[in-house]
Amino acid sequence: MDSRARAKIEELKKEIDYHNYRYYVLDDPEISDAKYDRLYRELTRLEAENPELITPDSPTRRVGASPLESFNTIDHSIPMLSLDNALNENEIREFDQRIKRLLPEEKIIEYICELKLDGIAIELVYENGMLISGSTRGDGITGEDVTRNTKTIKTIPLALRGENTRGRIEIRGEVIMVHSDFEKLNEKRLKHDESPFANPRNAAAGSLRQLDSAITAKRPLMFFPYGVGEFNNKAGIATQSDYINRFKEFGFKVNPHTVVCHGIDKVIEQHLVALDLREKLDYEIDGLVVKINRLDLQSMLGIKSKSPRWAIACKFPPRQETTQILEIVAQVGRTGTLTPVANLKPVKVGGVVVSRVTLHNQDEIDRKDIRINDWVVIERAGDVIPKVVKVIKSRRRGGELEYSLPQKCPVCNSDTFKPEDQVARRCVNLACPAQVKERILHFAAKTAMDIDGMGDKLVDQLVDKHLIETVADLYKLSVSQLQKLERMGRKSAENIIKAIENSRQRSLERLLYALGIRFVGEHVARILTQHYNSLNQLKEVSTDELMAIPEIGPNVAKSVVSFFQNPQNLQIIKELEEQGLNIKTEQTDKSTVLDNKVFVFTGVLKSLRRSEARRLVENAGGRATSSVSKNTDYVVIGDNPGSKADKARELGVTIISEEEFLKRVNKGWQQSKKAI
Ligand code: IVH
């Protein structure tokens, strides 16, 4: 049995390792998650039955082990150096000049440009292909032993693949966490009342430097190799590019944005390319690392005390800056939500001037203890809007003021309130000019009714001068009214009226989205119009009916129902209808799944009202009648069905349950979704 188990374990280990590699390194899985899980569970079981057969390179060893008291240290056999920085184009050219002075024979230098990954540097040591240790850079001479933690990172091979794995091989590189995982981790931490990490780098470092490797195993870390320490088999390696190819052969995921550049002009171009890339990548980079590609030239240049002469870090402008909060104001949004916004002493962050930053809500202010006059660290990451990372409490001088969102709306002075279960404080007044303006701007936006020229300046004037109160009023405006406004000539007034006129033609889907119902974005609006072909139908829906639609959850359902119960909203819809807007769609794009079939309902339905059931039939292209005849195709029976069920049996009409009915209609929904 032992030898059979041994063979099976070996086979499973190879297979699982291969699928890990396909999934994590190549991003190209070959088998389903379920299949993978089965293989993994089988290996776990066999290893549990035969613990003496467990080897350190088994994929099951990636889950972490019992917590440590503290980290041991590991001395790096060759010091881990750092890099000199170049902060602008001039300094990059000076680096090239220096090199050419030292290597007068070389006319054009071949550089290799790698992204400077903003994470934590580690060294992995392999002996005869097996991972034996992992350590942090530490002070460059001695680091912390994080071996057990590195083993949990799926892009780090436990055993090197390919040839050339004999002897001691030390691989250096960066451990990072991608933005999306970082955000998810922070959300989770907040839920558990733990303080969030300030940035992905801290999250990566904090996760790697965990005494409990089981926690590291749960954190989605990635590793990219970029260099070596001791390296046993250098045959066939003459350049940094060769090393990178070797890393690939070993089974590492290498960064795809590495580029070889001939001459410094190309490097400078590449620096700009990388700066652009920074906005698009899902992980943080803080510069471009430029290295001489040829290893013989590298050795000729050698190293200074802490950094090599053959490489330089061309930094990007920092994304974090410190500045001061001058004031905090409350902005009122379309749904009446009060959002605290900090006005800042303007500061350039990552090349863009930032003078305002949203503080999101009162919870956020309290959690970060943000006060007026505080000095704060501001960050602008990717295309993410700027945010306050933290308050620099050591710079407090006593003049800082705590802030709470006001009890009265700053715009209309009505009361504001915050429901217990929500984070937002809201202004109660639907007619609050701030809400009115935001609603109109949303209505006119490009993705909604697309009314060209309806910007904030114009909307401010229209509302402040009482020319409009609701979106329906837009359609009652005249050229002469507009002409009286500031900076508005006859031509522009005419153009705006024309734009408003054109918007009457917009589809029901756009109109529904434009109404600004909470939680009804473009996607939900599309789904709703697939099931209901007029606003009048939506007036009658129940939350249960809405929730029977795939993708519609309780929040959307409640919000839609309450919107269509509000008399002011109904009045607006009535006026929009009178103004000739598309409050319904033509029947043509309706589902035909029920294909003119005739339905009769009898008994008490569990999840639908009779009127709702009838509408479902009609929207799916069928007909609903009240009495059973030979023309009836289906009788749907609920609880306590009456004589109609007997009649159906008599006439041989098909009888179906409510569940069956919903299934058929739902199938229609799926089909109509696909058609779009
Ligand atoms: S090479 C001798 N390459 O930047 C060269 N470093 O200040 C040593 N880093 O501690 C480093 N991406 O953590 C190199 N592609 C890259 C890098 C990189 C990020 C980090 C590394 C190092 C620091 C150097």
Side-chain angles (χ1 to χ4, degrees):
M1 174 63 201
D2 195 20
S3 72
R4 262 180 49 211
R6 188 188 302 270
K8 186 70 193 165
I9 285 177
E10 280 311 310
E11 185 194 319
L12 282 168
K13 278 195 317 201
K14 275 218 187 79
E15 206 175 344
I16 293 170
D17 185 53
Y18 172 74
H19 291 301
N20 266 340
Y21 175 70
R22 301 271 338 173
Y23 186 91
Y24 291 104
V25 178
L26 304 183
D27 280 329
D28 186 16
E30 264 175 8
I31 56 169
S32 68
D33 290 1
K35 180 91 193 287
Y36 177 87
D37 288 344
R38 273 202 297 281
L39 295 172
Y40 192 91
R41 270 202 302 272
E42 191 178 354
L43 179 59
T44 316
R45 182 181 60 78
L46 281 172
E47 286 184 339
E49 287 167 7
N50 306 278
E52 71 286 359
L53 298 180
I54 300 176
T55 58
D57 66 336
S58 168
T60 59
R61 301 301 97 192
R62 290 191 186 271
V63 290
S66 53
L68 298 171
E69 289 285 320
S70 64
F71 290 118
N72 289 327
T73 56
I74 288 187
D75 288 341
H76 303 298
S77 45
I78 300 174
M80 288 181 78
L81 301 175
S82 67
L83 294 169
D84 282 351
N85 290 331
L87 300 180
N88 51 46
E89 187 183 323
N90 255 348
E91 294 184 6
I92 304 178
R93 289 191 186 281
E94 277 167 23
F95 164 73
D96 183 58
Q97 295 297 326
R98 262 197 315 276
I99 286 179
K100 283 188 181 144
R101 269 201 304 276
L102 294 166
L103 300 171
E105 309 282 278
E106 304 297 319
K107 295 296 168 240
I108 290 185
I109 310 277
E110 180 179 302
Y111 291 108
I112 181 162
C113 300
E114 300 169 1
L115 299 183
K116 188 167 188 309
L117 306 159
D118 197 7
I120 169 167
I122 61 163
E123 175 169 77
L124 303 167
V125 180
Y126 291 86
E127 288 274 9
N128 293 321
M130 298 288 261
L131 177 62
I132 60 159
S133 77
S135 55
T136 60
R137 175 175 180 274
D139 61 4
I141 309 291
T142 307
E144 283 168 328
D145 180 350
V146 288
T147 308
R148 300 182 336 156
N149 299 355
T150 52
K151 284 187 174 179
T152 68
I153 300 174
K154 307 289 199 305
T155 41
I156 293 180
L158 299 177
L160 297 179
R161 310 168 79 86
E163 325 266 308
N164 306 311
T165 61
R166 268 162 295 113
R168 189 176 172 96
I169 292 173
E170 300 177 353
I171 309 268
R172 295 167 175 188
E174 203 86 351
V175 171
I176 59 163
M177 187 181 285
V178 302
H179 281 143
S180 43
D181 289 329
F182 162 70
E183 302 289 344
K184 270 188 243 157
L185 175 63
N186 268 355
E187 268 170 37
K188 234 194 263 163
R189 288 178 71 84
L190 280 175
K191 256 194 217 140
H192 292 99
D193 260 349
E194 293 165 322
S195 60
F197 288 109
N199 52 47
R201 177 177 9 94
N202 291 3
S207 303
L208 188 70
R209 299 181 62 252
Q210 268 289 339
L211 290 166
D212 185 352
S213 54
I215 296 183
T216 314
K218 290 194 194 119
R219 304 271 174 85
L221 296 173
M222 287 230 291
F223 174 79
F224 284 118
Y226 54 62
V228 299
E230 215 175 281
F231 199 85
N232 178 51
N233 191 352
K234 290 203 174 86
I237 293 183
T239 60
Q240 168 74 0
S241 308
D242 293 337
Y243 269 131
I244 294 175
N245 284 331
R246 185 63 61 85
F247 299 156
K248 232 195 266 182
E249 284 168 28
F250 283 160
F252 286 96
K253 188 185 182 86
V254 300
N255 192 283
H257 301 289
T258 299
V259 179
V260 172
C261 292
H262 294 268
I264 204 68
D265 289 338
K266 287 275 180 325
V267 168
I268 283 159
E269 272 173 36
Q270 196 51 36
H271 187 237
L272 290 176
V273 170
L275 189 59
D276 222 33
L277 200 59
R278 179 200 212 184
E279 303 293 325
K280 301 182 186 114
L281 289 174
D282 193 23
Y283 49 86
E284 274 302 302
I285 56 174
D286 57 347
L288 190 70
V289 178
V290 179
K291 301 172 181 173
I292 292 187
N293 203 16
R294 275 169 52 187
L295 302 181
D296 60 334
L297 296 184
Q298 287 190 4
S299 343
M300 281 165 78
L301 289 169
I303 58 169
K304 299 183 289 179
S305 62
K306 288 250 168 55
S307 56
R309 284 199 188 84
W310 43 264
I312 196 154
C314 309
K315 303 279 283 202
F316 295 144
R319 302 248 243 205
Q320 286 198 347
E321 280 299 340
T322 55
T323 187
Q324 197 179 16
I325 294 185
L326 302 177
E327 63 172 346
I328 300 178
V329 295
Q331 270 184 1
V332 189
R334 168 162 65 81
T335 52
T337 307
L338 269 61
T339 305
V341 176
N343 285 327
L344 308 169
K345 199 179 263 180
V347 63
K348 224 172 175 184
V349 191
V352 172
V353 177
V354 177
S355 56
R356 288 155 68 77
V357 60
T358 172
L359 304 179
H360 301 292
N361 52 52
Q362 188 68 45
D363 283 3
E364 175 92 350
I365 295 181
D366 297 344
R367 197 170 51 73
K368 292 189 175 156
D369 187 17
I370 299 170
R371 303 182 191 178
I372 300 164
N373 294 328
D374 259 340
W375 282 85
V376 288
V377 176
I378 300 292
E379 181 179 71
R380 200 183 64 84
D383 41 14
V384 178
I385 45 172
K387 66 173 182 191
V388 172
V389 178
K390 64 170 182 202
V391 171
I392 309 173
K393 294 197 177 141
S394 59
R395 287 188 76 164
R396 282 191 176 156
R397 294 291 176 269
E400 295 75 23
L401 303 167
E402 286 183 22
Y403 177 86
S404 291
L405 282 169
Q407 305 287 320
K408 297 277 179 196
C409 172
V411 177
C412 68
N413 212 30
S414 307
D415 286 342
T416 66
F417 83 111
K418 175 183 173 300
E420 279 287 318
D421 57 334
Q422 290 177 21
V423 281
R425 176 169 282 279
R426 289 208 163 72
C427 162
V428 294
N429 175 16
L430 274 179
C432 168
Q435 287 190 49
V436 170
K437 287 175 187 173
E438 288 300 321
R439 278 201 293 271
I440 290 168
L441 281 170
H442 171 80
F443 185 84
K446 202 150 200 68
T447 47
M449 301 300 272
D450 191 13
I451 305 180
D452 208 18
M454 193 58 65
D456 10 350
K457 298 261 156 39
L458 178 57
V459 172
D460 276 352
Q461 290 193 67
L462 291 172
V463 174
D464 294 342
K465 297 208 154 75
H466 303 289
L467 290 172
I468 55 175
E469 264 175 29
T470 73
V471 295
D473 295 338
L474 284 170
Y475 296 93
K476 301 171 197 161
L477 287 170
S478 66
V479 172
S480 63
Q481 274 176 320
L482 289 185
Q483 244 185 301
K484 292 193 196 105
L485 301 176
E486 280 162 34
R487 274 174 293 158
M488 180 74 73
R490 178 155 193 99
K491 189 82 203 132
S492 352
E494 278 173 2
N495 284 342
I496 287 177
I497 294 295
K498 212 181 283 160
I500 296 174
E501 286 307 310
N502 287 340
S503 76
R504 280 182 215 260
Q505 310 305 323
R506 304 277 177 263
S507 62
L508 175 64
E509 180 183 319
R510 273 179 179 253
L511 177 60
L512 186 58
Y513 165 64
L515 288 175
I517 303 167
R518 228 170 141 223
F519 303 128
V520 179
E522 287 170 89
H523 180 64
V524 172
R526 183 167 316 128
I527 294 175
L528 288 173
T529 47
Q530 279 163 23
H531 296 106
Y532 301 96
N533 42 37
S534 79
L535 295 184
N536 290 332
Q537 280 191 354
L538 281 165
K539 286 182 202 162
E540 290 166 28
V541 292
S542 66
T543 50
D544 285 348
E545 180 183 345
L546 285 171
M547 277 162 62
I549 301 176
E551 292 191 76
I552 302 284
N555 286 336
V556 177
K558 268 190 242 160
S559 168
V560 170
V561 169
S562 92
F563 182 91
F564 284 97
Q565 273 171 4
N566 177 311
Q568 280 155 309
N569 293 336
L570 295 180
Q571 176 60 27
I572 291 171
I573 291 168
K574 186 166 157 253
E575 289 177 27
L576 289 173
E577 183 172 18
E578 285 162 6
Q579 293 293 334
L581 277 87
N582 286 319
I583 73 150
K584 54 173 180 273
T585 42
E586 296 308 318
Q587 302 290 348
T588 46
D589 53 357
K590 238 172 66 168
S591 161
T592 53
V593 68
L594 296 186
D595 189 25
N596 270 323
K597 294 278 185 276
V598 180
F599 284 74
V600 172
F601 294 90
T602 176
V604 183
L605 302 176
K606 277 194 287 290
S607 62
L608 300 171
R609 268 186 264 143
R610 202 53 83 70
S611 60
E612 293 168 351
R614 245 184 249 132
R615 194 166 48 248
L616 286 180
V617 170
E618 281 159 16
N619 286 352
R623 281 191 299 131
T625 59
S626 49
S627 60
V628 182
S629 74
K630 61 179 185 347
N631 294 329
T632 310
D633 293 294
Y634 297 99
V635 171
V636 182
I637 55 168
D639 285 345
N640 302 323
S643 59
K644 288 181 198 169
D646 302 331
K647 181 89 183 277
R649 272 182 216 111
E650 239 166 69
L651 293 173
V653 174
T654 312
I655 296 178
I656 59 173
S657 65
E658 182 181 346
E659 287 78 28
E660 178 63 26
F661 165 72
L662 282 173
K663 227 186 276 164
R664 284 176 195 226
V665 182
N666 263 323
K667 215 188 278 157
W669 289 348
Q670 299 304 337
Q671 280 166 3
S672 62
K673 243 198 322 200
K674 270 188 215 127
I676 278 177

